[in-house]
Amino acid sequence: MLKISVINGPNLNMLGDREVGYYGAVSLEDINAQLRMAAKEEGIEIDFYQSNSEGELVTFIQTCKGVTDGIIINPGAYTHTSIAIRDALLAVEIPFVEVHLSNVYAREEFRKSSYLSDKAVGVITGFGSFGYIFALEGIRQRLNPPATALC
Ligand code: DQA
């Protein structure tokens, strides 16, 4: 059975309550519940991790090696700063999708650069909580393509 880990970085535990204009009114618990339902329908095993600390995120990514087939990650502000998270993702050699709720290209200049995007299977930005569902579908297709895949 395919196993996917969903990782969220700093301040994403405050979703639903935080800059609702950018990030929407849906809580992280609700997003994870939707993902759990979608994963169940697809026969995918899924787990969730959130931390506000860069080191804890790195340590969790390291524990994914040999255990998880794919990662969905919203690194929050660490997207724009963290070589350590980039290196951890490269070290474990697990394909990952980068997700952002807001459209990072329609905001401040510093949000337009990512330490992860060039190594990601794909990047989803600007679709709010739906982005995580799209990411789940995208990584599933990549890891387990149907015989009649269009791409
Ligand atoms: C974010 C975008 C980041 O720039 C920001 O620091 C976040 C959330 C998003 O989901 O849109 O914390 O990753």
Side-chain angles (χ1 to χ4, degrees), residues 4-8 27-49 72-73 99 129-137 139:
I4 303 295
S5 294
V6 182
I7 303 174
N8 280 283
S27 70
L28 188 58
E29 289 72 32
D30 288 345
I31 291 173
N32 290 349
Q34 281 171 19
L35 279 169
R36 195 175 283 113
M37 273 184 349
K40 195 173 174 193
E41 274 172 29
E42 307 247 13
I44 295 171
E45 191 182 337
I46 196 161
D47 65 17
F48 304 96
Y49 182 77
I72 295 170
I73 183 164
V99 174
S129 59
F130 291 111
Y132 291 88
I133 300 287
F134 301 155
L136 182 67
E137 187 55 30
I139 195 96

Side-chain angles (χ1 to χ4, degrees), residues 10 12 18 23 74 76-77 79-80 99-102 104 107 111:
L12 293 164
R18 168 197 182 206
Y23 303 123
N74 182 347
T79 307
H80 320 296
V99 174
H100 301 286
L101 294 122
S102 65
V104 288
R107 301 181 61 190
R111 292 188 206 274

Side-chain angles (χ1 to χ4, degrees), residues 93-113:
E93 297 179 307
I94 299 170
F96 67 92
V97 177
E98 178 183 340
V99 174
H100 301 286
L101 294 122
S102 65
N103 178 356
V104 288
Y105 297 103
R107 301 181 61 190
E108 300 95 325
E109 264 319 293
F110 66 83
R111 292 188 206 274
K112 294 179 184 162
S113 84

